[in-house]
Amino acid sequence: MAAQTMEQLVSLCKRRGFIFPGSAVYGGLQGTYDYGPLGVELKNNLKLAWWRANVWEREDMEGIDAAILMNKLTWRYSGHEETFVDPMVDCKSCKMRWRADQLSGKCPHCASTELTEPRPFNLMFKTQIGPVPDPESFSYLRPETAQGIFVNFKHVLDSTSRKLPFGIAQIGKAFRNEITPRNFIFRVREFEQMEIEFFVRPGEDEGWHKKWVEDRINWWLSVGLSRQNLEPYHQKPDELAHYAKATVDLLYRFPHGLEELEGIANRTDYDLGSHSKDQGSLGLKARVSPNAHSTDKLTYFDPETKQHVVPFVIEPSAGVDRGVLAVLSEAYAEEQVKPAPADRLKPVEEALGTFLKSVGRNEKLPAQAKEALLAEGERIAQALGERMPSIAGLLSMPGAESIEVAKKLRGQVDPVVDEFYRTVLHFKPHLAPIKVAVLPLKKNHPEIVSTAKSIRRKLQSTGAMRIVYDDTGAIGKLYRRQDEIGTPFCITVDFDTLGDGTDAALKNTVTVRHRDSMAQERVAISELETYLREKMQSGA
Ligand code: ATP
């Protein structure tokens, strides 16, 4: 099971500290999000998994970390100044702005059909460089990490003596002044990319393009996405970017629909060619603008043919934030631990009905918020027994807090959800923000507590994983809490561990409880480190 709605994810992410709306105390800043304590761990783990697979485990890759600010000429010759535009329209009635290609003829805010003609809007953020506001002293925040790789092609080649084919990988921030940022972290104005520029001999590009598409699908599967939610889409000739000969988008079934997660483009010799001097002498296949400023030829000397060639480039370009969203969405599940009896469901059903009626009657709610609340409320009501945990998401949607009976609904729902349901993030262990939670059965028993703390310290000292100690509730509640943040293993220290239980053979053993199956087994403290490492590697 995956997340059904974005609300489920937004609510969990905020509640448990994965992702917060940016600058919230000042009313927010549209299109920005901040990663909280668990979000930063998840995001770092995803980036590390990518780096490991694409840099450490390959023989043909180097990494770099280029500056976000680049000489503005980069963006002239990359084609971004001229072509990195989206068509924008204004609603003449409510003055909202929209991307013309995402509208169906009417304003999504006020439904007016009075829209201006589309006009191009450049998505790059312009910024002043240096203290003097001279009209020429500007550049842009990079809208993609790729150009930092192209301008360093020669440096990497010369410093590593690489032979074709080889690639350069980079992870870093990119900025786009999106006209309508939306769908949580799917479309934002500041985000991260994981990009590879893979340089090959002209003529070998099509074979490598195919290989990379397969490779990238397999990698997304290795971080937990399921094949039926991933779809390669071959762009049609009229959809291709100006630099591309062919592009395959990997689409993912996000809660809001099937949309791009990664693009894998055959960029030909466009980029290295367009950033080179003396282009006439290079025999370029791509059409580039004449470059009057470059100081170098970005070519490769082929020792076999004794000729200088401009390599073709295959670019797998993935969004980190979209990756985090896909992984979260795929991992999310609301599960019934035991069936809730009818007399416990009834009051929740009534409170939900009253809440939805009150939303329907409310005249102050903006139309969009009202529609969204009613749609999500009805989705839950249709199968309340299964979907009850989604009420937490419903209550955190815009406008919900202004409904008077929201508090009453929350009061009815929380105890039932606590007793009969669990929300689980079924992350692959290597992505889980916290790998192990060590829990004392009793927090006021000094020996249990000190044993639990020493297990935590010992496991932590291996440096291999993030581990927490938690004694802030009863064991059942602590398990639920760890399930909800995707911790694959809980270790419980009890009386048996101390040798004070009924079975003396259990001395110096602990209970290891598995997140997905909820199964429990007894493991010797001395075996814990090896046991966890093995489980982590096998993905169990
Ligand atoms: P879209 O068509 O969705 O705007 P794009 O085709 O412009 O995306 P690319 O230029 O191919 O995107 O960028 C590569 C990757 O960077 C995308 O597949 C996506 O994962 C990520 N990305 C691009 N724009 C954004 C954004 N505004 N917010 C988050 N991630 C983004």
Side-chain angles (χ1 to χ4, degrees), residues 5-12 15 332 334 348-360 365 368-382 384 387-403 405-407 409-410 413-414:
T5 66
M6 200 67 99
E7 283 71 34
Q8 292 172 312
L9 297 179
V10 174
S11 155
L12 173 64
R15 195 168 69 245
Y332 186 93
E334 290 170 356
V348 179
E349 194 181 336
E350 282 166 13
L352 178 61
T354 313
F355 174 81
L356 292 178
K357 263 198 214 118
S358 172
V359 170
L365 277 178
Q368 252 177 335
K370 188 183 232 179
E371 224 172 88
L373 279 169
L374 289 175
E376 175 61 357
E378 272 145 30
R379 185 190 74 84
I380 298 169
Q382 274 161 16
L384 184 65
R387 298 179 184 159
M388 186 153 344
S390 293
I391 293 178
L394 176 74
L395 291 174
S396 65
M397 285 168 65
E401 77 290 348
S402 67
I403 306 294
V405 289
K407 264 206 197 93
L409 175 57
R410 192 185 297 278
V413 152
D414 284 352

Side-chain angles (χ1 to χ4, degrees), residues 153-171:
F153 171 73
K154 258 308 190 34
H155 292 147
V156 175
L157 190 61
D158 294 346
S159 57
T160 63
S161 312
R162 280 283 181 182
K163 302 275 176 288
L164 288 183
F166 78 96
I168 304 178
Q170 172 167 228
I171 300 178

Side-chain angles (χ1 to χ4, degrees), residues 176 178 186-188 191 193 260-263 317-319 322:
R176 296 183 187 181
E178 297 280 355
F186 177 82
R187 186 173 302 286
V188 279
F191 55 100
Q193 292 184 312
E260 179 179 329
L261 170 63
E262 168 160 1
S317 169
R322 286 186 193 180

Side-chain angles (χ1 to χ4, degrees), residues 51-174:
W51 195 263
R52 194 190 297 266
N54 289 296
V55 183
W56 296 353
E57 291 173 5
R58 292 185 69 109
E59 312 261 293
D60 53 8
M61 194 75 71
E62 301 286 350
I64 65 163
D65 181 21
I68 288 172
L69 292 173
M70 301 180 74
N71 187 311
K72 63 177 181 290
L73 291 169
T74 312
W75 306 108
R76 180 191 304 179
Y77 292 110
S78 68
H80 281 81
E81 271 189 336
E82 205 178 323
T83 62
F84 198 59
V85 291
D86 277 339
M88 178 171 73
V89 294
D90 292 345
C91 171
K92 289 184 185 165
S93 170
C94 72
K95 311 289 180 228
M96 295 279 277
R97 296 206 148 137
W98 306 101
R99 231 174 96 170
D101 56 339
Q102 293 174 344
L103 290 186
S104 54
K106 63 178 184 186
C107 172
H109 184 67
C110 71
S112 163
T113 51
E114 292 283 298
L115 304 171
T116 61
E117 282 301 306
R119 58 194 189 288
F121 172 75
N122 195 301
L123 299 184
M124 287 195 292
F125 282 100
K126 204 170 182 180
T127 187
Q128 185 188 314
I129 306 278
V132 186
D134 155 0
E136 279 310 300
S137 317
F138 70 88
S139 188
Y140 305 96
L141 301 183
R142 67 180 177 196
E144 61 176 27
T145 61
Q147 300 303 322
I149 298 182
F150 296 129
V151 301
N152 278 294
F153 171 73
K154 258 308 190 34
H155 292 147
V156 175
L157 190 61
D158 294 346
S159 57
T160 63
S161 312
R162 280 283 181 182
K163 302 275 176 288
L164 288 183
F166 78 96
I168 304 178
Q170 172 167 228
I171 300 178
K173 288 260 178 172

Side-chain angles (χ1 to χ4, degrees), residues 5 21 68 88 92 131 152 168 182 192 273 311 365 370 389 417 432 455 461 482 510 516 527:
T5 66
I68 288 172
M88 178 171 73
K92 289 184 185 165
N152 278 294
I168 304 178
R182 57 185 173 172
E192 272 184 282
L365 277 178
K370 188 183 232 179
V417 167
I455 291 175
S461 71
Q482 295 299 330
V510 288
D516 297 347
E527 302 287 318

Side-chain angles (χ1 to χ4, degrees), residues 181-323:
R182 57 185 173 172
N183 293 321
F184 195 30
I185 51 171
F186 177 82
R187 186 173 302 286
V188 279
R189 291 188 168 131
E190 174 177 343
F191 55 100
E192 272 184 282
Q193 292 184 312
M194 310 185 274
E195 292 198 303
I196 294 164
E197 305 303 329
F198 197 78
F199 304 100
V200 303
R201 286 192 176 78
E204 294 178 2
D205 49 309
E206 291 179 12
W208 275 106
H209 193 197
K210 273 207 192 82
K211 254 201 200 116
W212 270 109
V213 172
E214 275 167 34
D215 204 272
R216 295 302 305 143
I217 291 176
N218 288 333
W219 184 79
W220 284 112
L221 300 182
S222 77
V223 293
L225 304 194
S226 57
R227 190 63 185 79
Q228 74 262 24
N229 287 335
L230 265 180
E231 228 168 81
Y233 170 79
H234 293 251
Q235 286 192 8
K236 309 223 164 58
D238 63 330
E239 295 169 325
L240 291 172
H242 63 282
Y243 50 74
K245 170 173 157 185
T247 296
V248 179
D249 288 336
L250 296 185
L251 310 182
Y252 179 74
R253 218 170 298 288
F254 288 99
H256 65 282
L258 188 62
E259 292 225 47
E260 179 179 329
L261 170 63
E262 168 160 1
I264 303 152
N266 180 343
R267 296 180 75 128
T268 72
D269 53 5
Y270 176 84
D271 303 277
L272 294 179
S274 66
H275 288 305
S276 283
K277 67 175 186 180
D278 301 339
Q279 292 154 316
S281 67
L282 303 177
L284 293 175
K285 310 282 186 310
R287 275 228 328 246
V288 297
S289 311
N291 191 323
H293 295 88
S294 171
T295 58
D296 207 349
K297 289 195 231 177
L298 303 184
T299 56
Y300 167 82
F301 179 71
D302 192 335
E304 285 166 32
T305 61
K306 305 266 182 284
Q307 283 189 336
H308 289 274
V309 291
V310 179
F312 268 42
V313 177
I314 307 300
E315 177 195 71
S317 169
V320 176
D321 311 77
R322 286 186 193 180

